[in-house]
C-alpha cells in the first residue's frame, strides 16, 4: 500500500468516525488525487478553519475555480456547514475530506467523473 492509499484510508476513517458518513471511495480517491502534493505536506494537508483567509482560499480556489460554482453567500454557508459536520473542535481537518464533503454537498461529483 502506497503513501497515498494510506492517506485515502485515513480520510475514509475520518469521514466515518468524525462525520458519520460512509465514503464513496472512488470519489474520495479522485478528490485526494486532485489535491495534488498538498496531501503530503503537514500544513497544506489540513484546512485552518479558524482563519478567514484560509476559508476564502477554499471558496475561491476549490468551489469557484475547481467546481465551477458562482460566488455567493451560499458558498461560505456550505463551507461552514461542512466544518461543523467535521467538528469545530477537531484540530486536524484534512483538506481532502473537506473538499470531498463540499463536492457532495454541492452535488458536483460529475466534476470528478
Amino acid at each position: 500500500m502506497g503513501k497515498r492509499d494510506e492517506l485515502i484510508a485515513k480520510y475514509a476513517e475520518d469521514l466515518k468516525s468524525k462525520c458519520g458518513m460512509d465514503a464513496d471511495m472512488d470519489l474520495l480517491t479522485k478528490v485526494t488525487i486532485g489535491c495534488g502534493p498538498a496531501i503530503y505536506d503537514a500544513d497544506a494537508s489540513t484546512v485552518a478553519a479558524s482563519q478567514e483567509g484560509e476559508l476564502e482560499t477554499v471558496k475561491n480556489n476549490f468551489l469557484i475555480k475547481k467546481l465551477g460554482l458562482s460566488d455567493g453567500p451560499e458558498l461560505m454557508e456550505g463551507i461552514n456547514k461542512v466544518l461543523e459536520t467535521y467538528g469545530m473542535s477537531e484540530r486536524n481537518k484534512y483538506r481532502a475530506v473537506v473538499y470531498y464533503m463540499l463536492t457532495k454537498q454541492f452535488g458536483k461529483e460529475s466534476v470528478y467523473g
Side-chain angles (χ1 to χ4, degrees):
M1 185 185 270
K3 179 74 172 151
R4 185 174 71 200
D5 292 331
E6 290 172 18
L7 288 170
I8 291 168
K10 180 165 56 170
Y11 300 154
E13 178 55 34
D14 255 31
L15 280 164
K16 190 169 195 65
S17 64
K18 297 174 181 162
C19 308
M21 55 179 69
D22 290 317
D24 170 340
M25 293 307 290
D26 187 47
L27 179 63
L28 181 58
T29 300
K30 290 174 180 174
V31 170
T32 302
I33 291 168
C35 289
I39 62 170
Y40 304 109
D41 180 271
D43 188 45
S45 68
T46 58
V47 173
S50 60
Q51 296 177 4
E52 197 60 41
E54 171 81 351
L55 300 183
E56 282 293 322
T57 299
V58 169
K59 182 180 86 170
N60 292 324
N61 292 354
F62 184 70
L63 294 179
I64 296 172
K65 288 182 184 165
K66 177 70 179 172
L67 297 186
L69 297 169
S70 300
D71 196 3
E74 68 281 352
L75 297 187
M76 203 50 86
E77 289 165 15
I79 291 170
N80 288 325
K81 185 176 174 200
V82 160
L83 295 175
E84 282 172 28
T85 300
Y86 211 144
M88 289 312 250
S89 62
E90 183 56 44
R91 193 163 143 40
N92 290 322
K93 293 179 185 63
Y94 293 107
R95 186 170 305 280
V97 174
V98 171
Y99 285 8
Y100 170 89
M101 288 196 290
L102 286 168
T103 301
K104 296 285 271 186
Q105 181 172 324
F106 286 104
K108 287 296 202 171
E109 294 90 340
S110 62
V111 170
Y112 291 99

